[in-house]
Amino acid sequence: MTYAELNTPLRTIMTPGPVEVDPRVLRVMSTPIVGQFDPAFTSIMNEVMEMLRKVFQTNNEWAFPVDGTSRSGIEALLCSMIEPGDKVLVPIFGRFGHLLTEICERYEADVYTMECEWGEVFDEQEVINEIQKISPKITAIVHGETSTGRIQPLQKIGAACRELDVLFVVDAVASIAGTEIKVDDWFIDGIVAGTQKCLSVPSGMSPITYNERIEKVIAARKKVERGISTAEDRENEIERDHPIIKSNYFDISMLQDYWGPRRLNHHTEATSMLYALREGLRIVLDEGLETRFNRHRIHEQALMAGIESMGLGLFGNPDCKLPTVTCVKIPDGVDAESVRCMLLNEFGIEIASSFGSLKGKIWRIGTMGYSCRKENILFTLGALEAVLIRHGVNVHTGKALQAALDSYTMVGKESIGQ
Ligand SMILES: *Cc1c(COP(=O)(O)O)cnc(C)c1O
């Protein structure tokens, strides 16, 4: 029996990830493999670390990808920091807050949560009050919540954490390279990014960065022969009363020894993915962070103008809308899945459904990275209008594309689509 060569369809992907990958990234992925200790490769590793620092806007020494999907970075950071019984505060405003909670619980943290209604975010002071009350070792929070399309302000929480000596860990998987994140200025101690969202690289790596406050916590848990302190430990006054990190794969002290100048063997680096990440980061820095954030805004505005002009409603508090995800209320009586299927089958466009309490209530349209282009926005609006008409929805025919085009004219940058 023989199988046909792989033949993947060309899609317009307007979900909150995975999104379309820049052709330049796909191209570098087909370049030859080099050994992981080959100087040709280690210099790529060093470049990636340098580029990551720029994208994270940090001076941290440590910035490297964890191999695995985005949650691998979250798990690596948290499992390397959390000792059983450690207090962790997780403010939850959507699905990914629950993921943070679940990971912390698995590593036996004493987890405190606070929740707000989906579609809202927290008033920073509210979180700070809770931090003061609980005195956690770690506060872990999502920045861009893809499940609800909201963005949580972080700077004041970060400043309070620093003042109260609480470690501040952020999930920026959906926001990195799509909207502003200033790791150092916002007093973020550890942060996790993803590749398949605004970086427009395939899923499979999770870039992280963390500062010396976290490095110290992790160093104290480094695996050494039990009961014997090394000269290095004595010098750093590290006392061995901390349990070692429970995961080999996610042990950040080992990843650090692999990415750092010691280059101690740990895992086999995902060579082709690292090429992809390097190219993705290079493209981000070549476009420029400000220009890139602005581009995401411009296309988001055009999309929202189109959706509303069609007569559809947007979900959630507009004051905290995540620029990279737009949540659209599903009109009453419409078969939401049938609409998504028709978009895919007739137009090759993919939009996302939703989770939990929002299931069946909203569609989510991503405007991320390479997918975030004028042609995609216009195509999606035109197709959605046509499909909704086929589903008997009384939309304001012809308005959506005009509103989007007006929105582009207004910013006076019609060439921004590329
Ligand atoms: C997508 C996403 C994740 C998880 O990413 P995986 O690659 O599926 O592991 C985590 N957090 C947020 C905010 C996300 O949007």
Side-chain angles (χ1 to χ4, degrees), residues 16 69-72 74 96 99 142 144-146 171 173-174 196-197 203:
T69 72
S70 313
R71 71 193 58 209
S72 73
I74 301 175
F96 289 104
L99 176 66
V142 173
E145 185 44 91
T146 21
D171 169 353
V173 170
Q196 78 270 33
K197 307 203 179 179
S203 172

Side-chain angles (χ1 to χ4, degrees), residues 132-397:
Q132 281 167 332
K133 206 165 85 194
I134 293 163
S135 275
K137 168 171 159 179
I138 301 164
T139 297
I141 195 167
V142 173
H143 182 225
E145 185 44 91
T146 21
S147 62
T148 62
R150 298 304 106 181
I151 187 167
Q152 172 67 51
L154 298 174
Q155 190 166 19
K156 290 188 193 128
I157 302 173
C161 282
R162 192 62 55 92
E163 203 181 300
L164 299 164
D165 198 21
V166 173
L167 296 168
F168 190 36
V169 173
V170 173
D171 169 353
V173 170
S175 46
I176 194 78
T179 184
E180 185 96 274
I181 297 172
K182 297 187 166 192
V183 171
D184 291 357
D185 289 358
W186 296 356
F187 306 101
I188 296 169
D189 294 304
I191 190 165
V192 181
T195 49
Q196 78 270 33
K197 307 203 179 179
C198 303
L199 270 171
S200 274
V201 166
S203 172
M205 271 191 169
S206 181
I208 61 171
T209 184
Y210 52 93
N211 61 17
E212 62 290 342
R213 280 158 49 87
I214 288 182
E215 188 182 356
K216 222 167 84 194
V217 169
I218 293 171
R221 307 184 63 201
K222 204 171 164 62
K223 187 169 189 288
V224 290
E225 280 184 81
R226 309 308 291 164
I228 301 170
S229 67
T230 62
E232 196 181 306
D233 286 346
R234 282 194 299 274
E235 197 177 305
N236 295 325
E237 294 175 17
I238 290 170
E239 285 177 35
R240 289 278 148 217
D241 55 356
H242 297 273
I244 64 162
I245 295 160
K246 286 287 186 236
S247 167
N248 168 295
Y249 192 69
F250 288 144
D251 182 333
I252 288 203
S253 73
M254 291 167 88
L255 294 179
Q256 209 175 277
D257 282 341
Y258 173 64
W259 279 87
R262 301 175 76 187
R263 298 236 183 265
L264 298 185
N265 197 11
H266 181 242
H267 62 290
T268 309
E269 190 46 35
T271 318
S272 305
M273 268 307 293
L274 194 70
Y275 300 164
L277 177 60
R278 184 193 179 281
E279 184 65 5
L281 293 168
R282 191 191 69 76
I283 290 168
V284 169
L285 294 170
D286 185 49
E287 180 175 6
L289 291 178
E290 277 313 312
T291 311
R292 192 175 179 92
F293 302 151
N294 204 26
R295 166 165 66 84
H296 280 83
R297 270 282 178 216
I298 288 166
H299 295 302
E300 177 220 20
Q301 294 299 318
L303 176 67
M304 289 197 302
I307 295 287
E308 289 193 301
S309 300
M310 212 185 290
L312 300 178
L314 297 173
F315 167 81
N317 181 349
D319 295 338
C320 51
K321 187 182 174 301
L322 177 63
T324 57
V325 182
T326 297
C327 299
V328 181
K329 288 186 190 155
I330 296 166
D332 283 342
V334 173
D335 182 342
E337 281 312 291
S338 169
V339 168
R340 283 200 331 118
C341 281
M342 192 167 175
L343 279 171
L344 189 69
N345 295 334
E346 302 297 330
F347 295 88
I349 297 173
E350 188 183 1
I351 66 169
S353 56
S354 49
F355 305 105
S357 61
L358 294 176
K359 199 163 177 56
K361 298 205 174 117
I362 60 168
W363 291 300
R364 295 173 307 138
I365 303 179
T367 42
M368 293 180 159
Y370 185 66
S371 280
C372 182
R373 309 196 300 280
K374 188 179 185 178
E375 72 212 51
N376 280 9
I377 301 292
L378 297 177
F379 184 36
T380 302
L381 285 170
L384 183 61
E385 178 181 314
V387 169
L388 288 175
I389 291 170
R390 301 287 287 191
H391 280 76
V393 181
N394 191 11
V395 295
H396 302 154
T397 313

Side-chain angles (χ1 to χ4, degrees), residues 44-61:
I44 295 173
M45 290 171 71
N46 290 343
E47 279 176 344
V48 166
M49 291 180 76
E50 201 177 294
M51 290 171 167
L52 278 176
R53 286 184 202 105
K54 291 183 181 162
V55 171
F56 280 124
Q57 305 195 48
T58 182
N59 293 315
N60 288 345
E61 176 179 5

